[in-house]
Amino acid sequence: MSNLLRTNRELKDLQPKSTFDDKDLNNEEKDTKITKKKREKSVNMKISKSSRDFLVAMVMLSYAKNQKDAVNTLVAKFKESLTPAEAQLFDQQLAILKNKPTGRMLG
């Protein structure tokens, strides 16, 4: 252990080979807006093993990047298969669920 504390390196070995300051950086002014990305809340869901295997197979065959993406793909395909009236009803139900308050209600 004492060999680690007593080293033959000198302080000059620890200096950087070159230095720079902020003038060396490319300081082009860009017109970028910083926006907060709205993060969706995640939930846990129990599914059957066969459904999970279906999602894993989609990922393994490169139909999706991951299982979450596979579920999103299946939802999109389902929405495409709806008639316009069914799609309108589905969107109304989604709007109700999105605006539904979560947590315990007082009163």
PDB file of all heavy atoms in Angstrom, residues 7-17:
ATOM      1  N   THR A   7       5.033   7.709  -5.036  1.00  0.00           N
ATOM      2  CA  THR A   7       5.181   7.489  -6.470  1.00  0.00           C
ATOM      3  C   THR A   7       6.372   8.275  -6.984  1.00  0.00           C
ATOM      4  O   THR A   7       6.781   9.277  -6.391  1.00  0.00           O
ATOM      5  CB  THR A   7       3.895   7.896  -7.215  1.00  0.00           C
ATOM      6  OG1 THR A   7       4.095   7.664  -8.600  1.00  0.00           O
ATOM      7  CG2 THR A   7       3.528   9.332  -6.976  1.00  0.00           C
ATOM      8  N   ASN A   8       6.916   7.829  -8.082  1.00  0.00           N
ATOM      9  CA  ASN A   8       8.068   8.530  -8.658  1.00  0.00           C
ATOM     10  C   ASN A   8       7.646   9.573  -9.686  1.00  0.00           C
ATOM     11  O   ASN A   8       8.478  10.150 -10.351  1.00  0.00           O
ATOM     12  CB  ASN A   8       9.046   7.527  -9.274  1.00  0.00           C
ATOM     13  CG  ASN A   8       8.417   6.704 -10.371  1.00  0.00           C
ATOM     14  OD1 ASN A   8       7.240   6.862 -10.652  1.00  0.00           O
ATOM     15  ND2 ASN A   8       9.202   5.830 -10.981  1.00  0.00           N
ATOM     16  N   ARG A   9       6.374   9.805  -9.817  1.00  0.00           N
ATOM     17  CA  ARG A   9       5.897  10.840 -10.747  1.00  0.00           C
ATOM     18  C   ARG A   9       6.142  12.219 -10.167  1.00  0.00           C
ATOM     19  O   ARG A   9       5.989  12.442  -8.969  1.00  0.00           O
ATOM     20  CB  ARG A   9       4.408  10.694 -11.022  1.00  0.00           C
ATOM     21  CG  ARG A   9       4.082   9.553 -11.909  1.00  0.00           C
ATOM     22  CD  ARG A   9       2.644   9.632 -12.281  1.00  0.00           C
ATOM     23  NE  ARG A   9       2.331   8.597 -13.247  1.00  0.00           N
ATOM     24  CZ  ARG A   9       1.146   8.418 -13.754  1.00  0.00           C
ATOM     25  NH1 ARG A   9       0.148   9.205 -13.407  1.00  0.00           N
ATOM     26  NH2 ARG A   9       0.929   7.458 -14.618  1.00  0.00           N
ATOM     27  N   GLU A  10       6.470  13.112 -11.043  1.00  0.00           N
ATOM     28  CA  GLU A  10       6.636  14.498 -10.627  1.00  0.00           C
ATOM     29  C   GLU A  10       5.381  15.278 -10.971  1.00  0.00           C
ATOM     30  O   GLU A  10       4.552  14.828 -11.746  1.00  0.00           O
ATOM     31  CB  GLU A  10       7.859  15.102 -11.325  1.00  0.00           C
ATOM     32  CG  GLU A  10       9.155  14.452 -10.922  1.00  0.00           C
ATOM     33  CD  GLU A  10      10.330  15.044 -11.657  1.00  0.00           C
ATOM     34  OE1 GLU A  10      10.191  16.146 -12.235  1.00  0.00           O
ATOM     35  OE2 GLU A  10      11.381  14.413 -11.662  1.00  0.00           O
ATOM     36  N   LEU A  11       5.262  16.437 -10.403  1.00  0.00           N
ATOM     37  CA  LEU A  11       4.079  17.255 -10.623  1.00  0.00           C
ATOM     38  C   LEU A  11       3.923  17.649 -12.087  1.00  0.00           C
ATOM     39  O   LEU A  11       2.817  17.789 -12.580  1.00  0.00           O
ATOM     40  CB  LEU A  11       4.130  18.499  -9.734  1.00  0.00           C
ATOM     41  CG  LEU A  11       2.885  19.345  -9.689  1.00  0.00           C
ATOM     42  CD1 LEU A  11       1.700  18.516  -9.218  1.00  0.00           C
ATOM     43  CD2 LEU A  11       3.073  20.542  -8.800  1.00  0.00           C
ATOM     44  N   LYS A  12       5.033  17.787 -12.806  1.00  0.00           N
ATOM     45  CA  LYS A  12       4.943  18.178 -14.215  1.00  0.00           C
ATOM     46  C   LYS A  12       4.276  17.099 -15.061  1.00  0.00           C
ATOM     47  O   LYS A  12       3.733  17.364 -16.110  1.00  0.00           O
ATOM     48  CB  LYS A  12       6.312  18.523 -14.786  1.00  0.00           C
ATOM     49  CG  LYS A  12       7.253  17.348 -14.886  1.00  0.00           C
ATOM     50  CD  LYS A  12       8.558  17.762 -15.489  1.00  0.00           C
ATOM     51  CE  LYS A  12       9.443  16.512 -15.617  1.00  0.00           C
ATOM     52  NZ  LYS A  12      10.688  16.785 -16.262  1.00  0.00           N
ATOM     53  N   ASP A  13       4.276  15.857 -14.602  1.00  0.00           N
ATOM     54  CA  ASP A  13       3.600  14.787 -15.327  1.00  0.00           C
ATOM     55  C   ASP A  13       2.083  14.951 -15.300  1.00  0.00           C
ATOM     56  O   ASP A  13       1.381  14.418 -16.143  1.00  0.00           O
ATOM     57  CB  ASP A  13       3.953  13.428 -14.717  1.00  0.00           C
ATOM     58  CG  ASP A  13       5.421  13.081 -14.919  1.00  0.00           C
ATOM     59  OD1 ASP A  13       6.040  13.678 -15.829  1.00  0.00           O
ATOM     60  OD2 ASP A  13       5.941  12.234 -14.167  1.00  0.00           O
ATOM     61  N   LEU A  14       1.581  15.695 -14.342  1.00  0.00           N
ATOM     62  CA  LEU A  14       0.149  15.847 -14.176  1.00  0.00           C
ATOM     63  C   LEU A  14      -0.426  17.058 -14.895  1.00  0.00           C
ATOM     64  O   LEU A  14      -1.609  17.293 -14.833  1.00  0.00           O
ATOM     65  CB  LEU A  14      -0.188  15.939 -12.686  1.00  0.00           C
ATOM     66  CG  LEU A  14       0.198  14.725 -11.853  1.00  0.00           C
ATOM     67  CD1 LEU A  14      -0.101  14.987 -10.387  1.00  0.00           C
ATOM     68  CD2 LEU A  14      -0.514  13.487 -12.332  1.00  0.00           C
ATOM     69  N   GLN A  15       0.389  17.816 -15.572  1.00  0.00           N
ATOM     70  CA  GLN A  15      -0.074  19.009 -16.267  1.00  0.00           C
ATOM     71  C   GLN A  15      -0.654  18.628 -17.627  1.00  0.00           C
ATOM     72  O   GLN A  15      -0.172  17.697 -18.277  1.00  0.00           O
ATOM     73  CB  GLN A  15       1.087  19.999 -16.465  1.00  0.00           C
ATOM     74  CG  GLN A  15       1.716  20.478 -15.172  1.00  0.00           C
ATOM     75  CD  GLN A  15       0.721  21.203 -14.294  1.00  0.00           C
ATOM     76  OE1 GLN A  15      -0.134  21.923 -14.785  1.00  0.00           O
ATOM     77  NE2 GLN A  15       0.820  20.988 -12.989  1.00  0.00           N
ATOM     78  N   PRO A  16      -1.669  19.348 -18.098  1.00  0.00           N
ATOM     79  CA  PRO A  16      -2.224  19.067 -19.426  1.00  0.00           C
ATOM     80  C   PRO A  16      -1.241  19.447 -20.522  1.00  0.00           C
ATOM     81  O   PRO A  16      -0.404  20.329 -20.351  1.00  0.00           O
ATOM     82  CB  PRO A  16      -3.478  19.936 -19.483  1.00  0.00           C
ATOM     83  CG  PRO A  16      -3.267  20.996 -18.474  1.00  0.00           C
ATOM     84  CD  PRO A  16      -2.380  20.414 -17.412  1.00  0.00           C
ATOM     85  N   LYS A  17      -1.344  18.747 -21.655  1.00  0.00           N
ATOM     86  CA  LYS A  17      -0.445  19.030 -22.771  1.00  0.00           C
ATOM     87  C   LYS A  17      -0.726  20.389 -23.399  1.00  0.00           C
ATOM     88  O   LYS A  17       0.172  21.074 -23.851  1.00  0.00           O
ATOM     89  CB  LYS A  17      -0.567  17.946 -23.825  1.00  0.00           C
ATOM     90  CG  LYS A  17      -0.024  16.612 -23.372  1.00  0.00           C
ATOM     91  CD  LYS A  17      -0.149  15.592 -24.456  1.00  0.00           C
ATOM     92  CE  LYS A  17       0.395  14.264 -23.970  1.00  0.00           C
ATOM     93  NZ  LYS A  17       0.238  13.207 -24.974  1.00  0.00           N
TER      94      LYS A  17
END
